[in-house]
Amino acid sequence: MDRYEEDFKRLKDLGFQLELRMQFDLFPEEMREQLNKQFKNEDGLDKFVKDLPSFHRDYQKWYSESLAIVRQLIPDRVNDFTALYEVPKGRKDIKFGNYVIHDYLQGLRVSDSWGEVKVDTTAALPQFRIQRNIFESSEQRFKSSLFEILSLVQADLLDDEIDAARVLLKNKFTRAAGAVAGVVLESHLKAVCGNHAIKIVKQNPTISVLNDLLKDNNIIDVSQWRFIQHLGDIRNLCDHKKAADPTSDQVQDLIDGVAKISKTVS
């Protein structure tokens, strides 16, 4: 998820920088006057402008990657997104409202019969701003989609591990079955803490520590907390060699309990 979020942020930042570059290309004096106060000297401003991406070189990469995200996450906005770049079919007269980014990349200007400019490249700036806004509107859907994918993958992995614990118990490997179920429970509780942005201070937190964190942050109620505490006690029987071995019934309760918690606590 972090990698995908970094990719989205990279495109978002690139879009912002491309708009700044377009503004500097279109209104150099106004932009320098506006930003001059933010820099100690002209050299700092010159370096800032120099480090901005080239709109004519880097826009196509931004457009292609952003279009793929828009198509995937908000497909109903694809036509709106592409229409701001592509030349409209059957366009006979170029006006401020139908000037597109493709025209800007070609440096297209429209003059009347007296040679006076009717539409110039500044018409592309509001078009690109709208395009950026469409792309950025997909951010929330992007994050929720990643969360859905992660949740599905985690659920599948937990189910596989629980099935493995059931097979071990069926073949009389009682302690091993309980240990596997305990790992599943611990992993799930960590994931739930992550889902709710609960900070885990201890480097290797136990089921008890995670259980307390969830209760203290009102993610689970007291009855759920007691139930998880009971499962943690059985898990400890399986992990630590003591006078009494865990019984098959206890481990069965542990496995069934972990399966229940994984479906009801999220």
Side-chain angles (χ1 to χ4, degrees):
M1 286 184 70
D2 288 344
R3 180 168 63 86
Y4 287 120
E5 287 179 341
E6 286 173 6
D7 286 344
F8 191 95
K9 184 179 182 301
R10 174 181 57 80
L11 283 175
K12 186 177 178 180
D13 291 344
L14 178 57
F16 175 73
Q17 292 171 1
L18 286 172
E19 184 176 325
L20 277 178
R21 167 55 72 187
M22 181 184 278
Q23 288 177 295
F24 268 103
D25 290 344
L26 294 172
F27 313 106
E29 293 181 6
E30 293 89 336
M31 287 297 294
R32 293 187 73 88
E33 183 179 350
Q34 183 178 341
L35 293 179
N36 203 35
K37 296 178 181 179
Q38 299 181 27
F39 294 88
K40 294 181 179 179
N41 51 54
E42 284 289 325
D43 291 340
L45 180 56
D46 289 340
K47 184 178 186 309
F48 173 78
V49 177
K50 182 180 178 181
D51 289 343
L52 288 173
S54 164
F55 194 94
H56 287 73
R57 183 188 65 237
D58 298 319
Y59 169 77
Q60 294 290 359
K61 179 181 179 182
W62 179 88
Y63 175 78
S64 298
E65 292 188 54
S66 298
L67 176 58
I69 289 176
V70 171
R71 182 176 286 120
Q72 183 70 29
L73 298 177
I74 46 174
D76 56 315
R77 301 303 307 277
V78 168
N79 290 339
D80 296 333
F81 189 83
T82 57
L84 295 160
Y85 166 73
E86 298 174 352
V87 176
K89 293 181 180 179
R91 183 180 65 177
K92 296 180 181 179
D93 188 20
I94 301 175
K95 303 176 182 178
F96 192 89
N98 64 13
Y99 191 94
V100 294
I101 299 171
H102 187 274
D103 297 327
Y104 174 79
L105 294 173
Q106 293 185 321
L108 184 64
R109 291 175 173 80
V110 181
S111 302
D112 59 21
S113 55
W114 292 279
E116 185 175 341
V117 176
K118 291 169 51 181
V119 182
D120 62 14
T121 51
T122 61
L125 182 56
Q127 308 293 60
F128 182 59
R129 282 176 175 159
I130 296 171
Q131 203 172 51
R132 274 190 61 216
N133 289 337
I134 292 173
F135 167 73
E136 291 183 13
S137 72
S138 69
E139 184 169 13
Q140 189 55 46
R141 178 61 189 154
F142 176 77
K143 291 181 177 179
S144 62
S145 294
L146 283 182
F147 180 77
E148 289 168 7
I149 293 169
L150 179 63
S151 297
L152 288 172
V153 171
Q154 286 178 335
D156 285 344
L157 290 173
L158 291 179
D159 287 343
D160 288 345
E161 293 297 317
I162 290 171
D163 287 342
R166 294 190 192 281
V167 171
L168 286 169
L169 181 60
K170 183 179 179 180
N171 287 279
K172 310 301 182 184
F173 296 102
T174 310
R175 280 188 180 277
V180 170
V183 170
V184 173
L185 179 59
E186 186 177 296
S187 299
H188 181 67
L189 297 181
K190 282 182 182 178
V192 175
C193 286
N195 294 344
H196 295 275
I198 298 173
K199 187 176 182 180
I200 302 173
V201 178
K202 290 194 174 182
Q203 188 172 1
N204 296 301
T206 62
I207 289 173
S208 178
V209 169
L210 296 168
N211 192 29
D212 288 345
L213 283 173
L214 293 176
K215 180 173 71 71
D216 293 343
N217 285 274
N218 299 315
I219 307 303
I220 58 176
D221 58 29
V222 174
S223 62
Q224 290 173 310
W225 174 80
R226 286 174 178 162
F227 181 61
I228 293 171
Q229 191 177 45
H230 170 65
L231 297 178
D233 291 340
I234 300 175
R235 185 263 180 96
N236 289 336
L237 280 176
C238 299
D239 279 358
H240 307 293
K241 190 69 176 176
K242 296 184 178 180
D245 289 334
T247 66
S248 296
D249 288 342
Q250 285 176 314
V251 174
Q252 185 67 62
D253 288 344
L254 172 60
I255 295 171
D256 293 340
V258 171
K260 178 181 178 180
I261 291 297
S262 69
K263 296 294 188 294
T264 57
V265 177
S266 60

